[in-house]
Amino acid sequence: MKYKRILLKLSGESLMGDKQFGIDNNRLSSYAHEIKEIHDLGVEIAIVIGGGNIFRGVQAEEGGMDRTHGDYMGMLATMINSMALQAALESAGVSTRLQSAIEMKEISEPFVRRRAVRHLEKGRVVIFGAGTGNPFFTTDSAASLRAIEINAEVILKGTRVDGIYTADPEKDKTATKYDFITFDDVYSKGLNVMDMTAFTLCKENDLPIIVFDMDTPGNFKKLMEGNQVGTIVRN
Ligand code: GTP
């Protein structure tokens, strides 16, 4: 395997599958099986999942709600997705631990870095819920922060597109995909990979990001086997 310890970032929206809202059970179990395949090969896996399929803080603000209030609601949405993913992984036979950035002791362990690392060493998939626990941060920022804290070698950002393009491929037919790009080039070309907070954390801590299509079955494994899949961003 190319990497020993990874942080997988999944978007909440992807969990919807073809639905307009919420969680599609087929998509959930297909993610669980893809993750299990990698886990069975001995890779240490931490996961951060977004909450956009359930609630988006930004929309709440448009409706007149306080941004911070909306962001906390979004963090709760990530916990719902995290719990769903935890259940799906366990029913696929993968041992997991869920840690929340906001204390919810009845349903989750609190986030304790050293304990998370110990869980990984023991072969448990660790899911980090509730983002960073702070408003004004995205789940991409949570993913970057946690990845750095647990010394993951890379963040794998699973999306619907298969990498980073010179322009938006849905709008510009001439757009081409990068196999590799530096953080500086992403910045100077104004490409959108993660929000700036998340992006800067990765750059400053020399943590590569791989953007790839998680919705094509088998892609995750191909990537982990060292094949050219998606786009890698590094210094
Ligand atoms: P080891 O010490 O490595 O054996 O880890 P462990 O996670 O198996 O030990 P522990 O006895 O701490 O946890 C047993 C179970 O309780 C696991 O499923 C944990 O996720 C869960 N657990 C631990 N702490 C909490 C907590 O604060 N709240 C909730 N809801 N569950 C917890």
Side-chain angles (χ1 to χ4, degrees):
M1 283 295 106
K2 189 149 189 210
Y3 303 104
K4 175 91 179 74
R5 180 177 294 170
I6 62 168
L7 190 138
L8 177 65
K9 162 74 200 331
L10 297 173
S11 87
E13 280 90 350
S14 317
L15 269 196
M16 289 193 291
D18 296 328
K19 296 173 37 160
Q20 295 301 306
F21 176 82
I23 297 169
D24 175 55
N25 285 327
N26 292 330
R27 177 55 58 75
L28 188 62
S29 80
S30 100
Y31 277 178
H33 284 95
E34 302 261 326
I35 294 163
K36 178 181 161 48
E37 262 190 341
I38 306 306
H39 180 255
D40 286 349
L41 296 167
V43 178
E44 296 178 3
I45 308 170
I47 303 175
V48 168
I49 183 158
N53 54 323
I54 298 170
F55 190 83
R56 297 197 135 274
V58 180
Q59 279 163 9
E61 194 179 24
E62 285 161 9
M65 192 189 287
D66 207 53
R67 167 75 190 266
T68 48
H69 197 81
D71 281 352
Y72 280 116
M73 290 172 71
M75 290 178 229
L76 297 183
T78 72
M79 278 303 281
I80 294 177
N81 287 337
S82 297
M83 288 177 75
L85 188 62
Q86 177 176 39
L89 282 168
E90 300 231 311
S91 76
V94 179
S95 140
T96 68
R97 293 292 185 266
L98 170 59
Q99 294 199 340
S100 171
I102 297 176
E103 193 176 316
M104 299 188 207
K105 62 180 166 36
E106 285 77 7
I107 53 175
S108 156
E109 297 180 18
F111 171 66
V112 178
R113 189 191 75 87
R114 293 175 70 119
R115 198 156 176 215
V117 168
R118 196 75 192 103
H119 287 323
L120 291 170
E121 289 167 353
K122 288 185 178 176
R124 297 157 181 160
V125 169
V126 179
I127 305 170
F128 296 118
T132 66
N134 299 293
F136 301 105
F137 291 91
T138 61
T139 44
D140 277 350
S141 294
S144 309
L145 177 63
R146 295 297 183 239
I148 294 160
E149 286 185 278
I150 64 167
N151 299 318
E153 290 152 87
V154 66
I155 293 193
L156 303 183
K157 184 173 152 111
T159 62
R160 282 172 303 185
V161 285
D162 61 349
I164 301 166
Y165 283 75
T166 50
D168 183 346
E170 281 167 13
K171 290 183 193 138
D172 183 348
K173 294 281 166 255
T174 64
T176 54
K177 194 182 94 183
Y178 295 101
D179 288 342
F180 157 77
I181 187 166
T182 63
F183 285 105
D184 289 339
D185 282 349
V186 167
Y187 186 72
S188 65
K189 293 178 199 295
L191 301 170
N192 188 16
V193 176
M194 283 182 174
D195 64 274
M196 264 311 142
T197 311
F199 186 80
T200 308
L201 264 177
C202 292
K203 176 178 160 49
E204 287 181 353
N205 292 281
D206 211 10
L207 176 72
I209 307 166
I210 299 177
V211 179
F212 76 108
D213 169 18
M214 179 75 186
D215 297 352
T216 302
N219 239 6
F220 185 24
K221 188 163 182 212
K222 269 199 230 155
L223 194 167
M224 290 301 294
E225 284 168 343
N227 297 298
Q228 173 55 51
V229 171
T231 301
I232 182 159
V233 187
R234 50 179 157 75
N235 277 317

